[in-house]
Amino acid sequence: MTEFISKRLPNVKSDVLSGITVALALVPEAVAFAFVAGVDPLVGLYAAFMIGLITSVFGGRPGMISGATGALAVVMVSLVAKGNEMGAPGENLGLYYLFATVILMGFIQIMAGLLKLGKFVRLIPHPVMMGFVNGLAIVIFLSQLGMFKTNVDGNKIWLQGFDLYLMMGLVGLTMLIMWLLPKFKLTAKLPEALLGILIVSAIVIFFKLDVATVGSFIRDGGGEGLKGGLPVFQWEIFSKVPFNWETVRFIFPYALILAAIGLIESLMTLNLIDDLTDTRGNGNRECVAQGSANIVTGLFGGMGGCAMIGQSIINIKSGGRTRLSGIVAALMLLAFILFASSYIEQVPIAALVGVMFMVVVGTFAWSSFRIINKVPKTDVFVIILVSALTVIFDLAIAVFAGVIVSALVFSWENATRIRARKRMKEDGTKIYEIWGPLFFGSISAFNEKFDVKNDPDKVEIDFVESRVSDHSALEAILNLVKKYEAENKKIRLKHLSQECKALLYKSDPKFHQVIVDDIDDPRYHLAANPEEFPKSLSEYHL
C-alpha cells in the first residue's frame, strides 16, 4: 500500500497544482465570454464551474477542461438580444431564453452520444485537425489582444505610452518565466504557468504597479466583482419562458448550432489531448457528459459551454493527467467565487495574458510551415481554409468545410485511378482486368473502358485488382451486364467479394450464371454494415 501511494502521490500533486493553475486562467476567460454573450460575469463563472466539474467526473477524456467558451458566446449574443425583445417592455427575458436553449442543447448532445455519433470525429482528416489547431491558436491570440485596451468613459481604447509598455513588459516577463524555468529544471514543485502567475502578481502587488487586474477587468465590463454565492436553481425559466411551439421554433435552431459547435470543439480537443498524452478517450461518453453538464448548467443559471482547448493545453503542460485535475480546477473556481474573490481580483491580467500567449505558441502547429512543400497542395489548401474559416466564422463551419473539401478531393483523386487492362484469350474471349477503386465517383470512367457493341461474343471482367466499394458500383456492374446481354453476348465476372456476389444474386438470380466463384476471391466489406450481409452465399443458391 505504501508503495502504491508513493507512486500515485506525484500524480496527485501534479493534478492538484495543475488544477489551481487552470482555475486562475479560467476566471478572465469565463468573465470575458459572459460579456461577449451579454450576460452577467457570474453566469459565465457558474458555467465554467458546473460544466468543468461534471465533465471531469463523467466525461470521456481525463485531463480535458471544459467551461464557457467564446465559440458558443458569439452565437448567444443574438439569442439573448432577440430573447429580450420577446418580453414586455423593460422585461429582459433573454437570459431565461438562453437557459432554456442551453438545456435543449444538452439534450441534443446526449442524443448524439447515445446514437454513438462521437466516433465520427475519427474520420476528420489530419489537414483539418492542423487547420483546427492553427485557427484556434489565432482565435486565442486575437481574443487576448482585447486585454491591451482600457475603459475610458465607457469606450474601449488601446493602451498607450507607459501603460502599454508596462503591460507588454509584464506579459513578456510571464512568458520568459514559463520558458526559462523548465530549462533550468525549476518547475519540479510547481507548474511553470502557476509560477509565472505568482511571480508577476507578487511584483505588481509589491511595487504597487497601476495595471489592469481581474477585479478591474470585471468592473470595467459592468460587473460588480467576482464574489458570489452558490448557483441557484432557476425556477423562473418555467414561469417566464412559455413552453409552446413558438418558443421551440425560436430556440431550437440556436440549440442545434450550439450543440454542433460544442461537440465538434470538444471532440476535436479530445483528439488533440489523445495525441499529446498518447492515450485514447471515449468520444460518445464525452458527448453524453457534455450534454448532461449543459442541462444542469442551464437549470442552475449558467451560459453553457464545451471543451476549452487553451485551458486543456495548460492542464496537460502543467502535468494534469487524471480527472482530479479538472475536479480541482472546478472546485477552486467555486472557492474563488465564494471565499477568495478579493485575492483573485488582485491577479494582474498581464500574467494571465502571458500564460495564454504561451498556450498559443504551444497550440499552433508550426510544423505546417515545414511541410508546405512536402505534402499535396490540396492538403495545404485545406489547412489554410480551415484556419481562415475558424477565425472568420466559427469552428463548426470551418470543420464542415474542411471535411467536405477533403472528401471531394479524395473522391476526385480516386475517381481518376480506375484502369482497365485489355487482352484476348486464345478462344477469342476478351479480358478486362480492372484496376483501382470502383465507387460512385469512378463509375463514369469505369463505363468508358468498355466497347459493348464492338466486343466479341465472349467477355470476361476480372476485378482481382479492384475494390467494389458501394451500392453505386454494384448498380454500374448490373447495368453493364444488362448492356452485354442486350447485345446477346456472354459475360462473366471474376474475383468479386462475397458481399458483392450476395447482393448481385439478391438483385437477380441469373447472376449465378454470370459470376465465377474462385478460391482466391477477395474478402472485404462494402460501405455498409457487415451485419446486414449473410455469412454464406448458400441461401442465394438456386
Side-chain angles (χ1 to χ4, degrees):
M1 177 63 73
T2 303
E3 182 181 356
F4 174 78
I5 294 175
S6 64
K7 287 182 178 179
R8 294 293 299 172
L9 189 58
N11 293 333
V12 171
K13 182 193 73 173
S14 297
D15 286 328
V16 170
L17 293 176
S18 177
I20 296 172
T21 307
V22 170
L24 288 170
L26 274 172
V27 173
E29 292 284 300
V31 171
F33 297 146
F35 287 148
V36 169
V39 296
D40 187 86
L42 282 176
V43 176
L45 292 168
Y46 286 150
F49 157 63
M50 288 182 281
I51 293 176
L53 180 62
I54 294 172
T55 55
S56 294
V57 175
F58 301 105
R61 174 66 266 176
M64 192 165 75
I65 304 298
S66 297
T69 63
L72 299 181
V74 294
V75 179
M76 295 173 181
V77 177
S78 173
L79 168 63
V80 174
K82 291 183 179 179
N84 287 332
E85 297 173 358
M86 297 182 70
E91 186 184 20
N92 295 327
L93 298 180
L95 185 62
Y96 297 103
Y97 277 101
L98 172 62
F99 296 155
T101 304
V102 170
I103 294 170
L104 180 57
M105 161 192 173
F107 280 112
I108 294 173
Q109 291 178 326
I110 289 176
M111 287 301 299
L114 295 178
L115 294 173
K116 300 189 183 302
L117 301 182
K119 62 185 178 182
F120 289 107
V121 74
R122 304 291 180 190
L123 300 178
I124 295 176
H126 186 64
V128 176
M129 279 294 298
M130 294 187 74
F132 157 73
V133 296
N134 288 350
L136 278 188
I138 296 172
V139 169
I140 293 172
F141 174 77
L142 294 176
S143 70
Q144 299 305 304
L145 295 182
M147 305 299 182
F148 288 84
K149 294 181 178 181
T150 185
N151 196 339
V152 178
D153 298 329
N155 297 317
K156 288 285 188 179
I157 63 171
W158 291 99
L159 293 172
Q160 297 179 356
F162 177 76
D163 292 338
L164 176 61
Y165 300 139
L166 180 59
M167 178 74 170
M168 293 174 63
L170 293 175
V171 170
L173 177 61
T174 306
M175 297 177 69
L176 184 64
I177 291 170
M178 292 181 63
W179 181 67
L180 283 177
L181 291 183
K183 294 185 178 298
F184 292 100
K185 299 181 179 180
L186 299 177
T187 56
K189 300 296 182 182
L190 294 173
E192 60 266 24
L194 181 57
L195 279 171
I197 294 171
L198 292 176
I199 293 172
V200 174
S201 298
I203 292 173
V204 169
I205 295 171
F206 182 79
F207 290 101
K208 298 181 179 179
L209 300 177
D210 185 17
V211 296
T213 62
V214 171
S216 67
F217 176 75
I218 295 175
R219 287 185 286 274
D220 287 345
E224 298 180 358
L226 182 63
K227 187 172 180 59
L230 289 170
V232 178
F233 193 89
Q234 299 295 313
W235 295 102
E236 293 87 349
I237 299 175
F238 303 99
S239 60
K240 295 190 176 184
V241 177
F243 285 84
N244 53 35
W245 177 242
E246 290 300 319
T247 299
V248 173
R249 286 181 59 189
F250 171 56
I251 68 174
F252 182 77
Y254 286 103
L256 189 62
I257 293 171
L258 291 171
I261 295 174
L263 288 183
I264 291 172
E265 185 160 357
S266 297
L267 293 174
M268 294 190 73
T269 302
L270 181 146
N271 260 5
L272 181 62
I273 303 302
D274 283 354
D275 293 338
L276 290 175
T277 59
D278 197 24
T279 56
R280 179 59 62 89
N282 187 322
N284 294 318
R285 180 173 176 177
E286 186 62 33
C287 292
V288 174
Q290 291 282 343
S292 303
N294 279 308
I295 292 174
V296 174
T297 301
L299 291 172
F300 282 87
M303 61 182 284
C306 61
M308 307 179 75
I309 187 171
Q311 278 66 22
S312 298
I313 295 293
I314 292 174
N315 188 43
I316 296 301
K317 298 293 185 183
S318 299
R321 290 293 184 275
T322 69
R323 299 183 185 277
L324 180 61
S325 59
I327 294 171
V328 169
L331 294 179
M332 286 301 300
L333 185 59
L334 180 63
F336 294 161
I337 298 171
L338 296 177
F339 310 114
S341 59
S342 60
Y343 299 105
I344 301 304
E345 287 179 4
Q346 297 180 53
V347 174
I349 290 294
L352 300 173
V353 172
V355 171
M356 295 309 295
F357 277 173
M358 289 301 288
V359 170
V360 170
V361 174
T363 302
F364 195 90
W366 301 101
S367 60
S368 55
F369 292 115
R370 296 195 301 269
I371 64 174
I372 286 179
N373 296 323
K374 300 178 181 178
V375 299
K377 298 301 181 185
T378 52
D379 286 353
V380 176
F381 173 75
V382 169
I383 293 173
I384 297 173
L385 175 68
V386 174
S387 301
L389 292 179
T390 301
V391 176
I392 298 171
F393 296 105
D394 60 53
L395 178 64
I397 292 176
V399 172
F400 281 133
V403 171
I404 290 171
V405 171
S406 297
L408 291 174
V409 169
F410 175 81
S411 298
W412 175 258
E413 290 179 347
N414 280 276
T416 59
R417 291 176 182 171
I418 194 79
R419 297 287 187 273
R421 290 190 290 263
K422 305 167 187 177
R423 60 186 178 87
M424 298 292 293
K425 281 186 176 181
E426 294 182 358
D427 63 357
T429 302
K430 187 173 183 179
I431 308 294
Y432 286 92
E433 294 179 345
I434 308 300
W435 178 89
L438 182 57
F439 67 112
F440 67 91
S442 60
I443 289 173
S444 295
F446 172 75
N447 289 329
E448 292 173 358
K449 308 300 180 186
F450 301 94
D451 187 3
V452 178
K453 291 188 177 297
N454 298 319
D455 276 346
D457 292 336
K458 294 182 180 179
V459 175
E460 184 178 295
I461 305 176
D462 194 338
F463 293 89
V464 67
E465 294 185 44
S466 180
R467 184 185 180 101
V468 181
S469 301
D470 59 12
H471 181 71
S472 297
L474 289 173
E475 285 293 323
I477 295 173
L478 180 64
N479 291 333
L480 184 63
V481 170
K482 289 181 178 179
K483 288 180 182 178
Y484 275 106
E485 290 180 342
E487 296 291 330
N488 294 317
K489 295 179 180 180
K490 187 177 182 180
I491 183 171
R492 293 289 181 267
L493 306 178
K494 293 185 64 176
H495 294 119
L496 289 171
S497 73
Q498 179 170 311
E499 289 179 3
C500 293
K501 289 188 284 187
L503 290 176
L504 289 172
Y505 291 152
K506 191 174 182 180
S507 65
D508 194 335
K510 69 183 178 184
F511 271 94
H512 288 288
Q513 286 76 46
V514 174
I515 296 174
V516 178
D517 289 324
D518 205 328
I519 193 171
D520 59 346
D521 283 343
R523 293 178 177 271
Y524 55 79
H525 292 302
L526 287 161
N529 186 353
E531 295 178 358
E532 297 176 0
F533 299 103
K535 295 181 180 179
S536 172
L537 298 182
S538 58
E539 61 183 279
Y540 293 117
H541 289 170
L542 297 178

